[in-house]
Amino acid sequence: QVQLMESGGGLVQPGGSLRLSCVASGSIASIRAMAWYRQAPGKERELVASMTNRGTTTYADSVKGRFTISRDNAKNTAYLQMNGLKFEDTAVYYCNAEKPISWGGKLDYWGQGTQVTVSS
């Protein structure tokens, strides 16, 4: 079992920056990817950024050039650096960890989320 805990959210003005952290614990040896998702009020949860254990990253078009995902395996921590924040970035941000299972399946683990509010 994997436990994830996010931190670093808060209130920030447009154009500001925040750095989110996600600490993983438990059975983490077989994690193959980490990701950040977000969910705004009245909207579906969406992928923001992801990183595989090989270092391959992906980003939502809406955050390309502004957000950066990184991972420190020694500290079992993933990060999301968010720059140039916009009103539409307001959401609860969730950390995600993915583990492979037999027959091509996967297991997903989720943190409790951290609120990011961009407001003037």
Side-chain angles (χ1 to χ4, degrees):
Q1 190 174 15
V2 174
Q3 295 83 42
L4 304 173
M5 183 174 67
E6 305 99 331
S7 63
L11 177 64
V12 64
Q13 293 185 328
S17 298
L18 285 174
R19 186 190 188 214
L20 306 183
S21 299
C22 173
V23 179
S25 61
S27 182
I28 63 174
S30 60
I31 293 175
R32 65 181 177 187
M34 299 290 294
W36 288 94
Y37 288 73
R38 67 185 181 188
Q39 187 167 19
K43 301 180 69 176
E44 298 296 318
R45 187 174 298 187
E46 65 174 347
L47 175 66
V48 177
S50 66
M51 172 178 277
T52 71
N53 287 343
R54 300 175 66 89
T56 301
T57 59
T58 59
Y59 295 93
D61 288 339
S62 60
V63 307
K64 287 181 179 177
R66 300 188 297 119
F67 291 10
T68 303
I69 187 172
S70 61
R71 184 177 182 181
D72 186 339
N73 289 330
K75 298 184 181 297
N76 300 322
T77 302
Y79 304 94
L80 184 67
Q81 178 67 46
M82 305 185 294
N83 299 324
L85 285 163
K86 305 175 180 180
F87 293 125
E88 53 263 40
D89 294 320
T90 296
V92 177
Y93 284 71
Y94 296 92
C95 182
N96 166 268
E98 180 180 300
K99 300 177 67 175
I101 59 175
S102 60
W103 307 108
K106 67 175 184 176
L107 292 175
D108 284 295
Y109 300 88
W110 298 91
Q112 291 299 119
T114 184
Q115 176 71 48
V116 172
T117 302
V118 183
S119 177
S120 60

